[in-house]
Amino acid sequence: MATRYNLTGIRGDTRTFVINVPDIDITGYTFRLTVKNIDDVATNDTSALLAKSWNSIVTIHQTSIILEPVDTEFEEGTYKYDIQMASPQANVYTLIYGDWEQVNDITKTAP
């Protein structure tokens, strides 16, 4: 079920993800986006650069998350990430995973 998809993020930018989950009614599901160092093998998320959970749905097959500038303030580099969902019965499924290439922002002062 998991799809490999590499992403590029810009440090300090707002970012919106819309995630489609065909064939599953995601009502009541919880989602989590985690970004970690490539060599992080910890069994928890305490050292994650970004770990954000949400449970909002757009439709019964679609969810979305907005990352705020504070969420994307980590340094440029190549990281790993995944997006998982958990059912109300606590079944966990990885939807998307891959490399997260973080690039440095140019403008340092917000408009």
Side-chain angles (χ1 to χ4, degrees), residues 16 21 36 40 66 70 84 99 102:
T16 302
V21 186
K36 294 183 176 183
D40 187 335
I66 299 173
V70 68
Q84 293 185 330
D99 294 335
Q102 182 80 336

Side-chain angles (χ1 to χ4, degrees), residues 1 16 34 60 64 83 88 91:
M1 186 168 166
T16 302
T34 307
I60 63 168
S64 68
I83 297 174
N91 297 317

Side-chain angles (χ1 to χ4, degrees), residues 73-109:
E73 285 184 347
F74 51 95
E75 297 301 316
E76 71 180 315
T78 302
Y79 304 96
K80 60 185 176 183
Y81 84 97
D82 69 6
I83 297 174
Q84 293 185 330
M85 68 179 190
S87 73
Q89 298 78 28
N91 297 317
V92 177
Y93 306 97
T94 299
L95 297 172
I96 306 166
Y97 71 98
D99 294 335
W100 179 296
E101 184 68 30
Q102 182 80 336
V103 296
N104 202 6
D105 55 333
I106 306 304
T107 301
K108 304 298 183 192
T109 303

Side-chain angles (χ1 to χ4, degrees), residues 27-88:
T27 304
Y29 279 66
T30 300
F31 299 85
R32 185 162 178 89
L33 166 66
T34 307
V35 179
K36 294 183 176 183
N37 286 309
I38 291 285
D39 59 353
D40 187 335
V41 294
T43 58
N44 57 45
D45 293 338
T46 58
S47 61
L49 300 160
L50 170 61
K52 191 164 187 169
S53 297
W54 72 98
N55 60 3
S56 61
I57 63 169
V58 177
T59 70
I60 63 168
H61 300 292
Q62 189 177 68
T63 185
S64 68
I65 179 177
I66 299 173
L67 298 180
E68 303 296 335
V70 68
D71 296 323
T72 62
E73 285 184 347
F74 51 95
E75 297 301 316
E76 71 180 315
T78 302
Y79 304 96
K80 60 185 176 183
Y81 84 97
D82 69 6
I83 297 174
Q84 293 185 330
M85 68 179 190
S87 73

